[in-house]
Amino acid sequence: MMLKRNVDSLLRLLAWMSPAFPVGAFSYSGGLESAVADRRITDAESLSDWIGLSLQRGTLWNDAVMVCQAWNGFADDAMLNEIAELSRALAGSAERYRETVLLGDAFVEAARAWPSPVFDRLPASPTYPVAVGAVAAAHDIALEDILAAYLHSGLSQLISAGIRLGVAGQKDGVAILARLEEAVGEIASRASTATLDELGSATIIGDTAPMRHEVQGTRLFRS
């Protein structure tokens, strides 16, 4: 029974965090397109540095903390509402707000294929990390497992955006994933015990990149 449960959890993680899961993540770059246009990212090395900082000190770190909070509060309607409100408030730009809310809505809609009472408790328009954390907890998926999968998916999406923007190749992308693998495990472990007091970003250029993207002339991505 335990083995079956573990396999079920793995299969759901693979489905939910797959690029094929219909949330539309491929259409967002999280401001990375703006950074490429500004020549802040010009090659695989600078792409890796940008993504690594987001993971350790930026948006991906804050998302991981919100996944943790939603996972812990998935059975409490009031707590989920508060977490969702805070998570929306953390969006520092209009593009970032639309990205995380639209991804959250799409995730909830698609994940309903796995029925659960959690969908009745989730507030309207939860952010992506809140939706993922709450749904994962409702399906008995271990916290560190969903955190690692969420972060790995986030890295993969940014790497994919970098490849499509022409600053890295596919082999470079695989190398970046390998280089950041240990960091993903460390951040997932740290986020699993993090409190709201540990929210915060120290990536000012990364946080303002989506704002610059809003006024960028030619755009491939929505953020």
Side-chain angles (χ1 to χ4, degrees), residues 25 28-33 41 47 50-52 54-55 59-60 99 151-165 167 176 221 223:
Y28 300 96
S29 79
L32 192 145
E33 184 172 22
I41 298 175
L47 176 63
W50 181 277
I51 295 172
S54 178
L55 174 65
T59 299
L60 283 174
E99 176 180 345
L151 292 171
H152 187 274
S153 176
L155 296 188
S156 298
Q157 172 52 32
L158 290 173
I159 290 169
S160 175
I163 292 172
R164 283 177 282 164
L165 288 167
V167 296
I176 293 171
F221 295 92
S223 73

Side-chain angles (χ1 to χ4, degrees), residues 23-41:
V23 295
F26 65 89
S27 63
Y28 300 96
S29 79
L32 192 145
E33 184 172 22
S34 174
V36 172
D38 292 342
R39 305 295 293 170
R40 295 183 183 278
I41 298 175

Side-chain angles (χ1 to χ4, degrees), residues 9-93:
S9 295
L10 176 60
L11 290 174
R12 288 174 190 179
L13 280 176
L14 289 172
W16 295 345
M17 297 292 103
S18 165
F21 202 66
V23 295
F26 65 89
S27 63
Y28 300 96
S29 79
L32 192 145
E33 184 172 22
S34 174
V36 172
D38 292 342
R39 305 295 293 170
R40 295 183 183 278
I41 298 175
T42 58
D43 53 23
E45 183 177 356
S46 52
L47 176 63
S48 178
D49 291 343
W50 181 277
I51 295 172
L53 284 172
S54 178
L55 174 65
Q56 296 177 32
R57 303 190 185 107
T59 299
L60 283 174
W61 164 252
N62 281 339
D63 273 6
V65 175
M66 299 315 298
V67 169
C68 173
Q69 297 303 309
W71 190 93
N72 285 321
F74 85 99
D76 187 323
D77 297 38
M79 184 176 294
L80 276 180
N81 268 290
E82 290 180 6
I83 294 167
E85 286 183 8
L86 175 59
S87 187
R88 287 192 291 267
L90 287 172
S93 67

